[in-house]
Amino acid sequence: MTSFQSGMDSVRNLTGSPIAGLDPHELYDTRPVLREMNSVLFNNGRGNEEFANLPRKINVCISPTRDDFPHTQINDLGFEAVRDPASGQLLFNVVIGGYFSLKRNMMSLPLGVAVTEDQLIPFTVALLRVFRDHGPRGDRQKTRLIWLAEQLGFEAFAALVAETMGPGTQLAPAVHVAHDEPWERRDLLGVHKQKQQGLNWVGVSVPSGRLQANDLEVGLGFGFRVCGS
């Protein structure tokens, strides 16, 4: 979390999984790439003028499991980790356009492309440049990313982003993954097994985001007993 460019028409704080690195079901640990993306977009915490005057704010997230804890459906740009059934390669389906406003409320839509891990940051940077240079700047209720994508058409929008990434850039088609069993979204509260053998993680609710010192001490003591560390 950072306060740099956390308001106005800029990239808001990036989000991933709250249990990244612990989750036995994650396809991908989102922490390293999000830290790197944060450094690129915010100039290592010093602020970045290149993305400080977008047509409107933009929310970006990476989801590593079917639970979709960062809620790609309400982000302007979301990456959904998937395993290509044909090749076994890890790819990220791209969804765009989720947001809420007085004018319009909508869930994100598939862009029809997927990116590799190495393309996550270049794709995001290129998309932001396309949004900055081509996005509408009139009625502020009609200036979020989805309005530009709809104006250009999704295929043309994806092609423009690929072109901005550099000559010869190829984006894979979105990966369709069929699941044999339904997936019930997991609850983040409570005690859960983590992928490190013999260890558990604990999810707690902090009312109003406020925690007194005594409560923290008691909670940490409980966590150490339950999690085995």
Side-chain angles (χ1 to χ4, degrees), residues 46-218:
R46 294 188 292 271
N48 190 345
E49 292 184 2
E50 182 178 7
F51 304 124
N53 186 28
L54 300 174
R56 201 71 165 82
K57 71 176 182 179
I58 186 168
N59 297 308
V60 180
C61 72
I62 303 176
S63 178
T65 71
R66 293 173 67 187
D67 301 280
D68 193 18
F69 290 129
H71 302 287
T72 57
Q73 71 270 22
I74 57 171
N75 276 259
D76 297 275
L77 171 60
F79 298 100
E80 300 174 337
V82 293
R83 187 75 64 180
D84 186 346
S87 66
Q89 182 182 13
L90 177 67
L91 294 171
F92 298 83
N93 284 339
V94 180
V95 296
I96 62 169
Y99 84 106
F100 301 107
S101 77
L102 293 174
K103 183 72 69 173
R104 186 179 186 184
N105 300 313
M106 67 173 292
M107 307 280 274
S108 62
L109 299 170
L111 185 58
V113 299
V115 299
T116 64
E117 179 182 358
D118 291 340
Q119 290 177 322
L120 282 168
I121 294 176
F123 182 93
T124 302
V125 170
L127 180 141
L128 291 173
R129 288 172 176 160
V130 167
F131 184 41
R132 179 197 63 198
D133 297 342
H134 301 277
R137 292 180 179 268
D139 182 351
R140 286 184 60 78
Q141 294 300 325
K142 297 181 178 181
T143 54
R144 293 289 286 269
L145 180 68
I146 187 62
W147 295 91
L148 172 62
E150 289 179 334
Q151 175 187 324
L152 296 176
F154 277 34
E155 186 174 341
F157 177 77
L160 184 56
V161 173
E163 179 185 330
T164 305
M165 290 172 69
T169 297
Q170 297 291 323
L171 299 177
V175 176
H176 175 70
V177 179
H179 299 284
D180 296 330
E181 300 291 337
W183 181 268
E184 183 175 349
R185 193 171 191 268
R186 293 171 292 164
D187 193 337
L188 285 170
L189 299 180
V191 181
H192 305 268
K193 295 289 184 183
Q194 60 192 66
K195 64 183 180 182
Q196 291 80 7
Q197 187 174 2
L199 298 179
N200 302 283
W201 61 270
V202 179
V204 298
S205 175
V206 180
S208 303
R210 298 175 180 175
L211 193 64
Q212 301 298 321
N214 289 340
D215 296 331
L216 176 61
E217 185 177 356
V218 171

